[in-house]
Amino acid sequence: MDILQKNILEVKDLAKDYPGFHLKMDLAVPAGSIMGLVGPNGAGKSTTLRLILGLAHPDSGSIQVLGCSDLNKAPALREDIGVVFDECSFPEMLDAAQIGKVLGKIHPRWDKARYEQLLKRLELPWGKKIKDFSRGMKMKLSIAAAMAHSPRLLLMDEPTSGLDPMVRGQVLELFQEFIQDEERGILLSSHITSDLEKVADYITFVDRGRALLTEEKDTLVEVYGVLKGPAARMGEVEPGDAIGLTQTKHGFEGLVRDKAAMARKYPDFLVDRANLEEVILYLVRENREGSEEK
Amino acid sequence: MTGLVLKDFMLMKKNALYIAVVMLFFAGIYGSMGSDSFVSFFVSVMVVSILISTMSYDEFYHWERYAAVLPLSRRQIVGAKYLTALLFFAIGGLYTMAIDGASLLLRGGSLSGEALLVMVLAPLTGMVGAAVTLPFYYRFGAQRSRTAMLVFYGVPSLLVVVVARFAPGLLKGGLEVSLTLGGFLAGCALFTAVALGLSFLLSVRILEKKEIK
């Protein structure tokens, strides 16, 4: 991560204990970027967001959101933060116009024209009750509401889940536009790796409450690869060279960290480009096998 | 903060209109029997019930979590709910006065001291009920706060029934209050204000310490 870039969100040594779950997290979102928080269900993504938002109290560690260490002591600063939860929080007997009226009385910077423009762009009806919305429409409404007061930081928990591919594209485009001025940033928790592959600048992998890896997305995709070869020659791969080396129907495969170096070291084998999902799967598997061995 | 109040009013508009029509029906029946006090207390109970319904909706839609990330302090969030409660009682009080006034006009009577007592005591009782149930909501959720409301209204009612059944003399003696009507009502209003104030502080304390899921 470029240290010259100003972080609009910083999480250091953040720890939180729940029965059967321990979170230990480091994370940063530089201005002008999208950080994708990715990991399996129950990995600690939502807990991390709750701690950042001040909905839960950390046991130790520090959180700096837009320069503030405790949002609960500076509620006005929340105007600079837009939040989308994994479920729509708006009462279903209201409609988008009523939600606009309510939020317009709460947000000092609420921009009615911007809200209307977002609803139009996301093809949301103005006067239809939310109870008649699909899950995707509800998420789009949550996103429009989170963006209509011009926040500097967007914190979103699975905002694209339930959206069809076309709408996902529209929403991801909105996110990219949002960070164009290089002053704002997004922390986007998702398990849809293809979305993160499209928009994220950085990726943090989370598993069992720990950030396993934080890396620039482009570096991740460029550096990691999948080493493949015939099953009979699997033994030729030196220990430590490949993560999660396994035998498949067609031979063996495993994740390698330095794609180019491994291609030189094993010229007889194939080194494919690894997509984000493959990188995650191998890293999670390695983490779990490692912790079970311990 | 007014946005949260507005949201509760939008949510309950339909329910409140429905309840108002039902109340009018009961007012007609009981008014014709000369019992206006029933309407006053029933409206008061309904207002608390509507208030708890707003909390049930908040809980169901995870609104508490959403409100907590808006540019509002936890004190303002709690304050908005208490303000909503007071406004609901004000509307309920006006509604009761309108019904009782219409009933008196139709029957050609005049406002007795007892009728005035009931008209003021009913919303005050409801407000004390709200003062009891709101901290329960912030600590335990809407379902438990509903139970707290039932206990609040149920236990005293049951006591009155039991005393009336087994020791009616005690009840008669107990009602002989030596205070003037005005002094008594002022005392009740003061008690209600203190109860609401303490309840508000307790609710703020609970919400400030609460981890919201």
Side-chain angles (χ1 to χ4, degrees):
Chain A
M1 209 171 286
D2 183 357
I3 54 163
L4 294 176
Q5 265 180 301
K6 193 180 155 202
N7 290 329
I8 54 172
L9 170 65
E10 265 185 19
V11 171
K12 279 185 188 161
D13 300 322
L14 181 67
K16 178 75 182 173
D17 266 320
Y18 288 111
F21 180 77
H22 175 71
L23 182 93
K24 184 90 177 148
M25 188 65 61
D26 287 276
L27 189 71
V29 179
S33 74
I34 299 177
M35 165 66 81
L37 194 60
V38 64
N41 289 337
K45 304 187 295 290
S46 298
T47 304
T48 304
L49 287 178
R50 283 177 55 234
L51 287 163
I52 292 169
L53 286 165
L55 298 177
H57 313 298
D59 294 334
S60 61
S62 71
I63 302 168
Q64 288 281 325
V65 188
L66 301 165
C68 173
S69 58
D70 186 354
L71 281 178
N72 288 328
K73 287 183 181 151
L77 192 68
R78 291 183 187 276
E79 183 63 8
D80 283 320
I81 303 166
V83 182
V84 177
F85 289 110
D86 52 349
E87 279 177 273
C88 176
S89 306
F90 302 130
E92 293 192 343
M93 54 285 278
L94 303 185
D95 56 40
Q98 288 174 309
I99 293 298
K101 273 185 196 158
V102 168
L103 294 179
K105 295 223 174 276
I106 294 172
H107 287 289
R109 286 205 308 262
W110 184 259
D111 184 342
K112 190 175 175 242
R114 167 91 174 128
Y115 179 62
E116 285 176 10
Q117 184 198 27
L118 284 163
L119 293 186
K120 201 173 168 188
R121 188 165 163 184
L122 294 169
E123 294 165 21
L124 287 170
W126 185 247
K128 191 176 179 179
K129 299 274 182 229
I130 299 170
K131 68 176 185 312
D132 298 321
F133 279 20
S134 66
R135 177 172 161 76
M137 288 164 84
K138 286 178 192 168
M139 287 315 283
K140 287 197 285 183
L141 178 63
S142 303
I143 291 166
M147 296 179 88
H149 54 97
S150 304
R152 287 161 60 201
L153 174 65
L154 275 178
L155 297 173
M156 299 188 279
D157 196 2
E158 305 283 356
T160 53
S161 68
L163 301 182
D164 62 59
M166 217 180 98
V167 178
R168 282 222 306 271
Q170 279 181 304
V171 167
L172 296 178
E173 205 177 283
L174 265 180
F175 295 165
Q176 278 175 323
E177 284 170 25
F178 179 79
I179 55 152
Q180 283 310 304
D181 67 357
E182 299 292 321
E183 294 288 323
R184 300 187 281 190
I186 299 177
L187 177 62
L188 173 63
S189 146
S190 179
H191 66 265
I192 306 174
T193 49
S194 58
D195 286 351
L196 294 178
E197 209 155 349
K198 276 182 202 147
V199 295
D201 299 290
Y202 300 94
I203 298 285
T204 294
F205 288 133
V206 189
D207 188 36
R208 293 184 172 175
R210 282 184 178 271
L212 300 183
L213 173 80
T214 295
E215 192 63 84
E216 271 188 61
K217 183 201 69 194
D218 291 342
T219 310
L220 264 180
V221 179
E222 277 163 26
V223 167
Y224 282 89
V226 181
L227 181 72
K228 293 175 179 174
R233 296 182 65 184
M234 193 165 109
E236 291 176 31
V237 182
E238 286 179 28
D241 276 354
I243 299 164
L245 198 65
T246 46
Q247 201 168 321
T248 66
K249 275 195 288 188
H250 311 290
F252 74 83
E253 60 179 53
L255 187 76
V256 290
R257 280 209 167 92
D258 189 340
K259 200 162 59 180
M262 288 299 126
R264 283 194 299 274
K265 188 170 178 181
Y266 301 103
D268 294 345
F269 300 153
L270 183 69
V271 183
D272 270 352
R273 182 183 182 276
N275 63 34
L276 210 48
E277 188 159 340
E278 284 169 323
V279 178
I280 293 164
L281 282 174
Y282 279 108
L283 288 177
V284 167
R285 201 185 298 162
E286 184 197 34
N287 179 51
R288 295 199 170 176
E289 282 167 5
S291 55
E292 273 156 25
E293 277 167 22
K294 281 176 197 170
Chain B
M1 193 165 114
T2 51
L4 298 183
V5 177
L6 177 67
K7 185 263 309 169
D8 282 340
F9 271 81
M10 283 176 171
L11 277 180
M12 299 320 298
K13 198 169 75 181
K14 235 179 189 174
N15 291 22
L17 281 174
Y18 172 73
I19 290 168
V21 172
V22 172
M23 294 305 313
L24 212 56
F25 173 73
F26 279 111
I29 294 176
Y30 282 89
S32 65
M33 290 157 62
S35 175
D36 294 330
S37 59
F38 168 80
V39 175
S40 300
F41 274 103
F42 199 49
V43 167
S44 157
V45 174
M46 281 298 113
V47 167
V48 182
S49 179
I50 290 173
L51 184 68
I52 293 174
S53 294
T54 69
M55 301 182 224
S56 298
Y57 283 128
D58 287 353
E59 195 172 84
F60 186 76
Y61 295 110
H62 306 289
W63 177 265
E64 195 180 85
R65 180 178 68 171
Y66 191 75
V69 301
L70 294 172
L72 298 166
S73 65
R74 301 265 170 110
R75 179 177 281 266
Q76 285 174 307
I77 294 170
V78 172
K81 194 56 91 178
Y82 279 76
L83 182 59
T84 301
L86 290 177
L87 291 172
F88 280 179
F89 279 112
I91 293 168
L94 288 173
Y95 184 71
T96 308
M97 276 160 61
I99 287 184
D100 286 351
S103 172
L104 283 174
L105 274 175
L106 287 171
R107 284 188 282 128
S110 61
L111 188 66
S112 65
E114 191 189 331
L116 178 70
L117 183 76
V118 170
M119 209 183 280
V120 177
L121 269 187
L124 291 183
T125 310
M127 283 185 216
V128 176
V132 172
T133 54
L134 279 162
F136 268 87
Y137 163 67
Y138 286 111
R139 181 69 183 87
F140 301 109
Q143 191 52 44
R144 297 269 181 90
S145 70
R146 207 173 280 278
T147 309
M149 185 195 90
L150 289 174
V151 171
F152 174 79
Y153 281 107
V155 169
S157 307
L158 196 68
L159 276 176
V160 169
V161 170
V162 169
V163 170
R165 172 80 176 81
F166 297 104
L170 195 67
L171 193 65
K172 200 178 173 189
L175 283 178
E176 283 167 9
V177 185
S178 57
L179 281 170
T180 61
L181 184 64
F184 179 68
L185 289 178
C188 288
L190 183 67
F191 175 78
T192 306
V194 170
L196 276 171
L198 291 175
S199 166
F200 169 71
L201 293 175
L202 182 60
S203 294
V204 170
R205 196 176 158 77
I206 291 168
L207 193 61
E208 278 177 347
K209 286 187 175 290
K210 190 174 178 178
E211 293 213 345
I212 300 170
K213 289 193 174 168

